[in-house]
Amino acid sequence: MMMAGDDFRSQVLQATDIVQLISESVALKRRGKDYVGLCPFHSEKTPSFHVSLSKQFFHCYGCKESGNAIDFVIKRDRMDFIEAMKWLGDRAGLEMPRRNAAGGREQASQRQLLLDAHSVASSFFQKLLKTSSQGQKAKTYLAERGFNQQSIQQFQLGVSPDAWDELFRELGRKFPMDLLAIAGLVKRRESGDGCYDTFRNRLIFPIRDERGRVIAFGGRVMPGSDDPAKYLNSPETPLFNKSQSIFGLDLARQRIVETRTAVVVEGYADVVMAHQHGLSNVVSVLGTALTEQHVTVLSRFADKIILLFDGDTAGDKAVDKAVNLFLHQPIEIAIASLPQGVDPDEFLLERGAEAFNVILSKAKDALDYKWHRLQQQLGDQASTLTGRQRAVNDYLSAIASARGSGPVDAVRWGQILIQLRNRTGLTATELNQRFGIKAASASAGRRHPQPIRHDDTRQLQSGSHQPRTAQDRAQRWLLGTLLIHPHYWQQVQQQVQAADFTDQHCQQLADVYWAYQRNEGEPVFNELLALLDSSALKQLAVELVDEAETLPDPQTTVRDALQHFVLMKNRRQEQELLAALHRNEQGGQATESPSIGLDMELTLLRQLQEKARQPDLRRVGFS
């Protein structure tokens, strides 16, 4: 019978719309009966990630990841099974029953404790902003900078105390010192005696993950402080990786999906002010250069990234980094610039959202921006023959350097060559020679094939698998049809049992299916997936459903498959009888009781005659 945990799992899956869940982090488009998008679990340019609304499961035909809503959350957020069920339950308003048989409270994982510590710290900082004298100073400063109360609440801004260990004393009552140190909230004293707060006398900007959970903090020094570090971020922790965390993404994600564009600025304040002005697709990469990991995250939601540089940040290194990403990443990367010395938050306060959008509309792709930047640096010399030659050389050198850092997709490189040819006047052959590429081997820039993924179970065939033998077809198509139309099982189980499947993996899947039908009744496909503890079996189940959906008539498929199973069972029995006769003949030569051998032989011969009278089913559709 179904246990309490299984019952809760079923409730969670029934209460969760997998299309809605996945569309919160993956841009999905309707294609026929399914939804498709770029897979969040591997890098790809052509969408191969499918989500089925009717069956409530996902499957990637590229990396073969598949499963139900719980599996998706486990893979996306790197949770364990219990954490994923609890999160989805909370999302659906369902309370998860305690799993401890003695009724005691379960021990939380370290990751959950770190999240809890950050949540308590964030509440502490927010409370100080609202109630303390130091908070009053911070609110005055925020008002002077133009931030309204709604923005302060939306981004959960706070202030850290102007003291050495006030946060530590507050959190130390609930969390061990070692955990707070791992969280980056406190630092150990060099003397080894105790800890002190990481953030002191700073305006606090909580850094949240895509789901809105606080995973780190950014702090801006308060006016009048003698601390030389204007900005301070949490150190890297099990929760926080600066190279892939994106400030404001939890609030910007929906608008990014709607506009298919993400605008990346430098600072926290710039993001807050942009959202305050209705520009809610703006995020920040925490004061570091845009990385491949950042692009991977953003490409799940956007087709285009606009880097907004002010005059102080648009250095050659930052531009060259953007060119590198433009060449290698499957997303458009453009650059826009503000006037020299003007930050985005200042620009918005002075000129408003409309003028800000005009700046963004003038964004140039990274290659175009690099060329115009070189022209500006050359000034009057740009119009001379020598100046143009220098600009072309510098431009191509920058692109060659970026291209040399890794493989570039052949189609993307072809489009880039057209841009370069129009800009420099050089032919494609001359350009390829400049980049050290022989014209005959231009395809060398294509990506290398990704290595085959291995699992604890032998790698199964891909979704393009075509059953080769009649037995293969009968087993796969019968099982696939049962997964789609479970009501046929009552008819099937009268003639076929799970042990009759000769393919190892089909038999394992049939074992689970037959047991579920006997104990629980007709299974819902996404709930059955949750019972499969092997990713290989989940992949097989998805493939069988795909194959069975292409068959014209499930009733005919079941009939023909059953006939084939009966035929194969008869053939196996014939072989077993003949083998028994053969063994009896060999044994009879040495036995002292030949009459017993004769009786056995006569019985076996009668059984073979009975088999011979049965109709020949070899002309069914699977032969």
Side-chain angles (χ1 to χ4, degrees), residues 465-481:
H465 171 90
Q466 292 298 324
R468 297 175 182 174
T469 67
Q471 187 173 358
D472 191 17
R473 289 196 293 275
Q475 293 185 82
R476 293 176 68 92
W477 292 355
L478 179 62
L479 199 47
T481 301

Side-chain angles (χ1 to χ4, degrees), residues 39 55 75 132 191 240 287 291 325 327 351 372 375 498 534 599:
C39 179
K55 299 181 184 65
K75 293 176 174 67
S132 69
S191 63
F240 176 59
T291 66
L325 293 171
L327 261 64
R351 303 185 58 181
H372 284 87
Q375 298 272 352
S534 163
D599 290 343

Side-chain angles (χ1 to χ4, degrees), residues 64-355:
K64 308 306 178 189
E65 292 285 7
S66 60
N68 55 29
I70 297 173
D71 297 313
F72 180 80
V73 173
I74 290 172
K75 293 176 174 67
R76 182 190 66 181
D77 299 326
R78 297 181 296 280
M79 292 183 176
D80 63 28
F81 179 77
I82 299 301
E83 289 175 327
M85 273 216 305
K86 184 179 185 306
W87 183 80
L88 284 171
D90 292 343
R91 184 176 181 270
L94 301 172
E95 184 177 358
M96 182 174 177
R98 296 293 183 187
R99 295 176 64 247
N100 190 316
R105 183 175 179 178
E106 294 177 345
Q107 183 177 0
S109 66
Q110 183 194 66
R111 183 178 181 85
Q112 186 58 53
L113 289 172
L114 292 172
L115 288 168
D116 292 344
H118 277 86
S119 178
V120 174
S122 180
S123 297
F124 175 75
F125 293 143
Q126 291 177 69
K127 183 178 179 181
L128 282 182
L129 180 64
K130 294 176 182 177
T131 61
S132 69
S133 59
Q134 186 182 10
Q136 186 58 49
K137 295 178 183 178
K139 284 190 287 187
T140 300
Y141 171 73
L142 287 169
E144 291 173 351
R145 291 287 302 269
F147 298 105
N148 61 31
Q149 189 59 37
Q150 181 180 350
S151 294
I152 292 172
Q153 293 176 352
Q154 184 181 33
F155 284 87
Q156 299 176 336
L157 304 188
V159 67
S160 60
D162 187 9
W164 278 99
D165 60 0
E166 194 168 330
L167 177 66
F168 174 56
R169 285 188 280 111
E170 175 71 19
L171 269 60
R173 296 196 294 265
K174 301 178 181 178
F175 304 97
M177 181 174 66
D178 288 345
L179 182 91
L180 296 177
I182 292 172
L185 297 171
V186 302
K187 296 180 179 179
R188 298 184 185 277
R189 298 184 186 276
E190 292 182 3
S191 63
D193 182 22
C195 295
Y196 61 92
D197 297 349
T198 300
F199 297 95
R200 303 181 307 279
N201 194 26
R202 289 181 176 273
L203 186 64
I204 298 296
F205 295 81
I207 300 168
R208 302 182 296 227
D209 63 12
E210 290 178 34
R211 293 163 47 197
R213 302 176 302 179
V214 179
I215 57 173
F217 295 100
R220 189 203 186 280
V221 70
M222 286 288 290
S225 172
D226 56 1
D227 192 328
K230 184 177 180 181
Y231 291 101
L232 177 68
N233 286 327
S234 293
E236 297 213 345
T237 70
L239 298 179
F240 176 59
N241 183 337
K242 189 176 181 180
S243 296
Q244 66 184 33
S245 296
I246 300 173
F247 179 75
L249 183 57
D250 59 313
L251 298 174
R253 183 175 61 188
Q254 188 60 42
R255 186 58 180 161
I256 291 173
V257 170
E258 292 170 359
T259 62
R260 309 300 303 148
T261 301
V263 179
V264 178
V265 296
E266 183 184 13
Y268 318 113
D270 300 329
V271 175
V272 178
M273 189 58 69
H275 283 244
Q276 184 171 305
H277 281 77
L279 304 164
S280 53
N281 62 334
V282 177
V283 295
S284 169
V285 291
L286 305 172
T288 186
L290 190 71
T291 66
E292 290 184 12
Q293 295 97 313
H294 291 137
V295 174
T296 298
V297 173
L298 291 174
S299 64
R300 287 160 42 198
F301 316 111
D303 299 323
K304 182 179 183 179
I305 297 173
I306 299 177
L307 300 177
L308 183 61
F309 290 154
D310 58 43
D312 299 326
T313 58
D316 288 334
K317 287 186 178 180
V319 175
D320 289 344
K321 177 68 174 177
V323 169
N324 189 305
L325 293 171
F326 181 85
L327 261 64
H328 298 292
Q329 298 299 316
I331 189 170
E332 294 302 309
I333 297 178
I335 301 174
S337 287
L338 290 171
Q340 182 76 26
V342 178
D343 291 329
D345 63 327
E346 297 171 349
F347 185 92
L348 282 163
L349 285 170
E350 293 174 5
R351 303 185 58 181
E354 187 175 346

Side-chain angles (χ1 to χ4, degrees), residues 396 413 416-418 420-421 424 426-437:
L396 296 181
W413 181 245
I416 290 171
L417 283 179
I418 294 174
L420 299 182
R421 185 180 61 197
T424 65
L426 299 174
T427 66
T429 301
E430 290 171 329
L431 287 169
N432 277 324
Q433 289 174 348
R434 289 290 294 265
F435 295 124
I437 305 171

Side-chain angles (χ1 to χ4, degrees), residues 466-515:
Q466 292 298 324
R468 297 175 182 174
T469 67
Q471 187 173 358
D472 191 17
R473 289 196 293 275
Q475 293 185 82
R476 293 176 68 92
W477 292 355
L478 179 62
L479 199 47
T481 301
L482 289 176
L483 290 170
I484 301 173
H485 307 286
H487 63 275
Y488 283 112
W489 181 79
Q490 292 295 340
Q491 172 189 350
V492 170
Q493 59 92 24
Q494 296 177 22
Q495 301 182 62
V496 175
Q497 299 303 315
D500 294 329
F501 288 84
T502 57
D503 178 84
Q504 174 189 355
H505 297 93
C506 285
Q507 187 179 102
Q508 291 174 0
L509 182 57
D511 279 334
V512 177
Y513 187 91
W514 256 247

Side-chain angles (χ1 to χ4, degrees), residues 581-592:
L581 277 171
H582 182 64
R583 287 195 301 271
N584 187 61
E585 290 174 358
Q586 291 181 331
Q589 296 174 1
T591 182
E592 295 181 357

